[in-house]
């Protein structure tokens, strides 16, 4: 159980703000890749893609973005029911009566665990095997994102840098681990590089590319797969071999080399030829930054990774956490860094294992209690840096991996935010909902050895939908006075 804190007195009403904010966001729209349009446009406006234009001095870092907006503002006193919602219904006894039969659904297989927690008090309202480590699938991304935000802060940006020798005739494209680098920003970087070289009259260079930030195996343990590119510190368009930006797609076996060759082509278009095809290599001694481009703020990356369940971003953020911790930026180093960072948050880590950052590895282990504890930490008003974990969760029936779900659980659409998890035989769901008393509840349901993903997902949707408070009965209609004049 998560230990109560001083903020618990006000957090109950704070939870109400989250629910209303979530509904308002969905209604206001539009959404784009898991980011509210206004927030995304603000971030783009702040991100001066490309870096320096004036020679080899180190490019200026963009100003950090602020933390996610305070969506947990208190609107009512704790315990005050929401207007139009029947109060109550989430006592431990009531939840056991309501959730027990749903958790026993045959579609969830023989192994299923559950945890429901009041985020304001840390009180466990319902639990079944909550401390049992299970394969979490993509819900492990919640742990990855909490660790990255805690270690780096929501304003952190990931650089991709062009280093130049003192004579500026040898350039090295240095990957910083930005899994969101695309052709447009790579073109901006090439433009900045060409402008910096133009002042010295250089039109021909030797180009290298450096992926040494990461160590260990490049391939994910699942092997070549349409759900993830080789995990390298330099890629463009996530190594996709088509024009997609989300979801499964065929991937390049050498995304770093492809990115470097694309960069060489973009340089040629801007008047700078390369002597030969780019080769791997670190910057030469004495090299200095010539141009640089930055990712969007970490808060945006977290939202995108959670909403669309982006495996490439998740793995990159696990490695960013490793770099911050001084660990090798490998699968093993990232796992140690994430574990250590979460330990500082005092969440239940017994039996937890982070074999990767995305949840594709079946060796990952997390308990339902750990997932609800992480969501509780993200709801803590004293930890605003973790708020993107909540704002990035897909909205039931509207965004990301929940866009097409909850079709037979209509009252839950727009009211539940949750991270999905699916592997063959594994189906999980973890997120938040506001109860009839305005309390923000965190829930996690994990099922193993499921036989069919469709029926398992429907069962999970019904479980979480059972946490949505019923609508209060409408007041009786007031008779309207008759119109017109009466007969004499």
């Amino acid at each position: 159980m998560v230990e109560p804190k001083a903020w618990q007195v006000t957090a109950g009403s704070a939870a109400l703000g989250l629910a209303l904010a979530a509904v308002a966001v969905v209604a206001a729209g539009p959404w784009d890749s898991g980011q509210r349009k206004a927030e995304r446009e603000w971030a783009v406006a702040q991100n001066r893609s490309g870096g320096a234009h004036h020679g080899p001095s180190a490019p200026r870092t963009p100003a950090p973005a602020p933390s996610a907006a305070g969506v947990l503002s208190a609107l009512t006193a704790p315990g005050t029911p929401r207007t139009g919602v029947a109060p109550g219904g989430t006592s431990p006894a009531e939840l056991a009566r309501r959730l027990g039969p749903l958790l026993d659904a045959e579609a969830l297989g023989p192994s299923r665990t559950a945890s429901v927690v009041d985020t304001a008090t840390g009180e466990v309202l319902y639990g079944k095997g909550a401390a049992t480590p299970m394969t979490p699938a993509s819900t492990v991304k919640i742990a990855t994102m909490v660790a990255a935000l805690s270690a780096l802060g929501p304003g952190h940006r990931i650089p991709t840098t062009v280093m130049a020798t003192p004579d500026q005739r040898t350039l090295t494209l240095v990957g910083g681990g930005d899994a969101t680098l695309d052709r447009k920003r790579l073109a901006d970087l090439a433009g900045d590089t060409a402008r910096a070289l133009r002042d010295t009259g250089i039109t021909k260079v030797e180009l290298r590319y450096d992926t040494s930030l990461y160590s260990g195996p490049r391939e994910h343990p699942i092997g070549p797969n349409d759900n993830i590119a080789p995990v390298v510190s330099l890629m463009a368009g996530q190594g996709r071999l088509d024009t997609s930006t989300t979801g499964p797609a065929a991937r390049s076996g050498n995304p770093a080399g492809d990115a470097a060759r694309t960069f060489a082509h973009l340089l040629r278009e801007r008047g700078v030829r390369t002597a030969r095809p780019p080769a791997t290599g670190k910057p030469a001694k004495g090299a200095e930054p010539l141009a640089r481009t930055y990712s969007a703020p970490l808060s945006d990356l977290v939202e995108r990774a959670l909403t669309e369940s982006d495996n490439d971003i998740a793995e990159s953020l696990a490695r960013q956490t490793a770099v911050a911790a001084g660990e090798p930026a490998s699968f093993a180093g990232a796992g140690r860094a994430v574990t250590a960072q979460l330990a500082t948050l005092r969440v239940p880590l017994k039996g937890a294992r982070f074999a990767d950052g995305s949840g594709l590895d079946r060796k990952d282990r997390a308990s339902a209690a750990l997932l609800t504890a992480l969501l509780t930490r993200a709801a803590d008003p004293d930890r605003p840096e973790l708020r993107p974990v909540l704002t990035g969760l897909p909205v039931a029936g509207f965004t990301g991996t929940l866009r097409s779900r909850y079709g037979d659980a209509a009252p839950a659409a727009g009211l539940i935010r949750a991270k999905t998890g699916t592997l063959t035989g594994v189906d999980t769901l973890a997120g938040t909902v506001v109860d009839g008393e305005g309390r923000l509840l965190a829930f996690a349901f994990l099922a193993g050895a499921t036989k069919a993903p469709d029926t398992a997902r429907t069962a999970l949707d019904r479980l979480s939908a059972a946490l949505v408070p019923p609508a209060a009965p409408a007041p009786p209609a007031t008779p309207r006075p008759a119109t017109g004049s009466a007969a004499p």
Side-chain angles (χ1 to χ4, degrees):
M1 184 175 78
V2 180
E3 301 85 350
K5 298 183 63 177
W7 53 266
Q8 294 162 0
V9 178
T10 59
S13 58
L16 178 56
L18 176 65
L20 298 181
V23 175
V25 164
V26 172
W31 283 66
D32 182 9
S33 299
Q35 301 173 34
R36 292 179 294 279
K37 185 177 181 182
E39 290 180 351
R40 177 175 55 81
E41 291 176 346
W42 186 93
V44 170
Q46 299 303 310
N47 181 17
R48 307 304 179 193
S49 237
H53 295 186
H54 306 293
S57 59
R60 185 177 64 175
T61 303
S67 299
V71 297
L72 299 180
S73 302
L75 297 181
T76 60
T80 302
R82 293 182 296 153
T83 302
V85 174
T90 50
S91 67
E94 172 60 21
L95 282 183
R97 183 193 69 78
R98 195 187 311 166
L99 297 180
L102 295 173
L103 192 64
D104 289 337
E106 184 179 354
L108 294 178
S111 301
R112 70 292 293 268
T113 62
S115 174
V116 180
V117 172
D118 180 347
T119 65
T121 64
E123 178 187 3
V124 176
L125 301 176
Y126 178 78
K128 181 175 182 180
T132 303
M134 298 274 287
T135 301
S138 275
T139 55
V140 84
K141 289 184 175 75
I142 293 173
T144 304
M145 302 303 134
V146 168
L149 286 166
S150 179
L152 298 161
H156 176 74
R157 297 174 186 255
I158 304 172
T160 303
T161 307
V162 176
M163 301 290 289
T165 52
D167 63 4
Q168 298 189 13
R169 295 189 181 278
T170 300
L171 307 181
T172 305
L173 181 63
V174 181
D178 180 7
T180 64
L181 181 66
D182 57 17
R183 185 182 176 92
K184 182 183 182 303
R185 279 205 292 123
L186 203 57
D188 291 341
L189 184 61
D192 290 348
T193 301
R195 280 189 291 273
L197 293 173
R198 193 173 300 145
D199 294 340
T200 60
I202 294 174
T203 59
K204 187 176 181 179
V205 297
E206 181 176 331
L207 180 62
R208 303 173 182 172
Y209 61 98
D210 179 10
T211 60
S212 62
L213 180 65
Y214 290 0
S215 59
R218 296 182 335 123
E219 296 288 346
H220 190 280
I222 63 173
N225 191 282
D226 287 354
N227 288 296
I228 191 169
V231 184
V232 292
S233 61
L234 176 65
M235 62 173 69
Q238 299 183 332
R240 294 172 181 269
L241 299 179
D242 59 20
T243 58
S244 65
T245 57
T246 61
R251 309 300 182 101
S252 167
N254 184 16
D258 289 348
R261 285 185 287 273
T262 298
F263 186 68
H265 174 73
L266 293 167
L267 284 175
R268 287 195 296 273
E269 288 184 341
R270 289 154 179 78
V272 178
R273 294 179 297 126
T274 52
R276 56 184 62 86
T280 58
K282 293 184 179 181
K285 185 177 181 180
E288 295 183 356
L290 184 69
R292 182 174 288 150
T293 184
Y294 290 89
S295 72
L298 184 61
S299 55
D300 287 14
L301 304 186
V302 165
E303 286 191 335
R304 177 174 165 182
L306 291 173
T307 301
E308 298 296 345
S309 200
D310 192 301
N311 298 311
D312 301 287
I313 297 176
E315 295 298 348
S316 75
L317 297 188
R319 279 162 173 70
Q320 292 292 309
T321 305
V323 172
E327 290 277 3
S330 62
F331 284 107
R336 290 192 296 270
V338 168
T339 301
Q341 192 61 45
L342 297 184
T344 68
L345 300 177
R346 295 188 303 165
V347 293
L349 288 168
K350 185 176 181 180
R353 180 181 180 184
F354 305 105
D356 68 0
S358 60
L360 291 172
D361 196 323
R362 291 177 177 274
K363 294 178 182 177
D364 288 326
R365 291 292 182 271
S367 66
L370 171 59
L371 294 174
T372 51
L374 292 171
L375 293 167
T376 297
R377 289 290 184 263
D380 185 342
D382 291 337
R383 298 185 185 274
E385 73 279 4
L386 302 183
R387 203 72 72 245
V389 172
L390 299 186
T391 58
L393 294 173
V395 179
F398 285 87
T399 65
T401 54
L402 289 185
R403 189 178 293 113
S404 60
R405 288 178 58 166
Y406 290 87
D408 64 345
L415 299 178
I416 286 175
R417 306 186 72 132
K419 180 70 197 76
T420 57
T422 304
L423 295 170
T424 302
V426 175
D427 292 276
T428 60
L429 192 69
T432 62
V433 66
V434 174
D435 74 359
E437 298 178 354
R439 298 181 300 178
L440 180 67
L441 308 184
F443 64 84
F445 304 117
L446 287 74
T450 57
K451 295 181 179 180
D454 290 343
T455 55
R457 291 171 195 166
T458 298
L460 291 174
D461 293 350
R462 289 172 179 166
L463 264 169
S464 54
L467 299 172
V468 176
T478 303
R480 300 177 62 183
T483 57
S485 56

